Amino acid sequence: MRYETSEMILTNADLVLENEVVRGTVCFGDGMITAVDTGRSARAGAVDCDGDLLIPGLIELHTDNLERHIQPRPKVDWPHAAAIIAHDGELASTGITTVFDALRVGSVVSNNRTNYREYARPLASELLDMRARGLLRISHFLHLRAEVCSETLTEELGKFGADDRVGIVSIMDHTPGQRQFRDLEKLRAYVCGKHGLSDDQFEEHVAHQVATRERLGEAHEAAAVAAAVRFGAVLASHDDTDTGHVTTSAAHGIRLAEFPTTVEAAQACKDNGIAVMMGAPNLIRGGSHSGNVAAEELARLDLLDIFSSDYVPSALMSAALRLADLWDDLPRAMATVTSAPARATGLTDRGRIAEGLRADLVRVRPVEGVASLRGVWSHGRQVG
């Protein structure tokens, strides 16, 4: 979506380019960057950035933030239009100018106590309609999280098509005893706390999910792979734990791994040319909240390529700044939230500050490790 804008000049900024930081000027108009120059502009109307950083707009590949807005509390279904606008505005305020909104596809409908319903298709239709009407500030794509341990995945995927801006399909497997849910006692605490199950009911739930995976899992994996091809979307894995998982991912044609849980899996991803994405909150908090590998450890081992904000939008910028200190390399760190996610999803028109690309820009001043945003532009329009 293009916005007609008069020419804008941001000068006296530290431009974070692909391999260097230089003091310079960026000009943009009609949504696109028209010039990138070193030095300071004396043209009338130029905005003096006073040495602030100017970076590409952040690109978010996996966030649960929209789901949080439509269900702010258990069993509370918030009006979707209001939730979408609030979600869009929150991301803009944190410097995110492109988002792949994560929506689960695949539901459980036969277990009365632990059912989870279909919601992705109607919510996606509302979001895409609001985008088409120019009601959203930033660029939105869809990220369909395909739950193979479900009963309706094939049918739900069939409701989406090539015109739905599906950019990512991730294959998720939340079968008890595997991947994220290897530790059944942690799963017991989560499920029983959420649904109020007794121990016997929890055991029944586990048996039901394992049986569902055995009955439908293989067909669901194949359906997710085929859907990604049909949409022209990038195929991603989720919570790879060992080399075997990554070997399967590579055979599917996966090129993006979300949140591998071990060093072994992350190393196998690197060996197979699969980009590794970790959650920014993992780095900010100093480790995984579920006991998996720490993002900092992968960063120190050169096994981390991309960050996602996961469940805290503001964490994306903060994690990049913290990673810059860890690596002593600001351009490389910023690439994990700009050019690397753009490259992983085939977006060649953004993710860098260069003439001819989208004018997705963020003016930011780091203050004692915290990012103070001074301006956000999405396709040349100031949105934050």
Side-chain angles (χ1 to χ4, degrees):
M1 187 178 302
R2 296 177 67 86
Y3 297 96
E4 297 297 327
T5 63
S6 58
E7 186 178 49
M8 182 82 177
I9 304 171
L10 302 177
T11 192
N12 193 27
D14 277 348
L15 310 182
V16 182
L17 306 180
E18 289 188 87
N19 299 303
E20 60 181 343
V21 179
V22 299
R23 184 63 59 93
T25 298
V26 174
C27 304
F28 55 94
D30 194 24
M32 309 300 289
I33 296 174
T34 56
V36 180
D37 299 313
T38 58
R40 182 169 184 160
S41 173
R43 287 182 58 180
V47 175
D48 186 346
C49 292
D50 195 26
D52 291 342
L53 298 178
L54 193 64
I55 66 173
L58 308 188
I59 299 175
E60 173 56 73
L61 301 188
H62 176 121
T63 174
D64 303 334
N65 197 58
L66 179 55
E67 293 182 343
R68 179 176 65 83
H69 277 280
I70 66 171
Q71 191 176 69
R73 288 189 177 183
K75 300 181 180 179
V76 173
D77 188 15
W78 202 252
H80 288 180
I84 291 167
I85 288 175
H87 159 68
D88 173 73
E90 182 180 358
L91 297 192
S93 74
T94 65
I96 295 169
T97 56
T98 299
V99 60
F100 289 72
D101 291 307
L103 305 175
R104 172 186 50 78
V105 283
S107 306
V108 172
V109 296
S110 65
N111 190 334
N112 290 333
R113 293 192 65 90
T114 55
N115 279 350
Y116 45 95
R117 61 182 176 82
E118 177 183 355
Y119 73 98
R121 177 66 267 183
L123 181 60
S125 295
E126 291 182 73
L127 187 152
L128 294 173
D129 176 66
M130 294 177 73
R131 174 191 172 273
R133 291 159 58 196
L135 301 179
L136 304 180
R137 303 183 190 187
I138 68 173
S139 180
H140 289 257
F141 295 88
L142 300 183
H143 172 169
L144 299 184
R145 305 178 66 200
E147 178 54 73
V148 299
C149 187
S150 68
E151 297 170 334
T152 64
L153 178 58
T154 302
E155 294 83 357
E156 290 190 39
L157 285 171
K159 297 178 182 180
F160 289 86
D163 295 330
D164 285 316
R165 291 177 67 83
V166 179
I168 302 173
V169 175
S170 58
I171 301 177
M172 299 195 307
D173 187 353
H174 287 126
T175 304
Q178 298 184 29
R179 297 181 184 253
Q180 184 178 353
F181 291 148
R182 285 181 297 165
D183 188 332
L184 287 179
E185 289 310 306
K186 289 185 177 180
L187 177 63
R188 183 191 302 273
Y190 172 75
V191 172
C192 293
K194 183 175 181 179
H195 297 287
L197 303 187
S198 66
D199 285 345
D200 288 344
Q201 289 168 333
F202 173 73
E203 296 299 333
E204 181 183 345
H205 164 75
V206 169
H208 177 273
Q209 291 299 92
V210 170
T212 298
R213 177 64 173 86
E214 291 176 350
R215 179 167 56 92
L216 297 172
E218 186 173 333
H220 281 172
E221 281 194 23
V225 173
V229 173
R230 181 162 56 90
F231 304 146
V234 170
L235 191 64
S237 63
H238 192 79
D239 293 334
D240 290 327
T241 299
D242 54 38
T243 302
H245 289 155
V246 179
T247 299
T248 299
S249 294
H252 285 323
I254 283 169
R255 287 295 172 262
L256 174 64
E258 299 186 294
F259 320 136
T261 64
T262 63
V263 172
E264 174 190 343
Q267 182 63 59
C269 286
K270 183 171 184 177
D271 295 342
N272 282 275
I274 299 173
V276 171
M277 181 167 74
M278 294 295 286
N282 182 316
L283 183 68
I284 300 301
R285 297 181 65 255
S288 165
H289 71 277
S290 55
N292 296 323
V293 68
E296 181 173 339
E297 181 177 2
L298 295 189
R300 292 186 183 279
L301 293 171
D302 195 24
L303 296 175
L304 188 152
D305 302 297
I306 298 169
F307 269 126
S308 91
S309 69
D310 199 2
Y311 55 94
V312 184
S314 63
L316 201 57
M317 180 74 76
S318 297
L321 291 174
R322 184 167 297 191
L323 192 60
D325 291 336
L326 178 66
W327 281 342
D328 191 26
D329 190 335
L330 181 60
R332 181 187 177 198
M334 283 298 169
T336 66
V337 296
T338 56
S339 61
R343 188 166 51 250
T345 51
L347 295 178
T348 59
D349 63 344
R350 68 196 76 189
R352 296 176 291 120
I353 297 179
E355 184 176 341
L357 298 190
R358 281 174 57 110
D360 292 347
L361 299 162
V362 181
R363 177 185 171 188
V364 60
R365 176 174 296 180
V367 180
E368 298 177 356
V370 177
S372 174
L373 271 64
R374 315 292 292 279
V376 181
W377 292 264
S378 175
H379 214 178
R381 182 178 67 159
Q382 188 160 7
V383 296

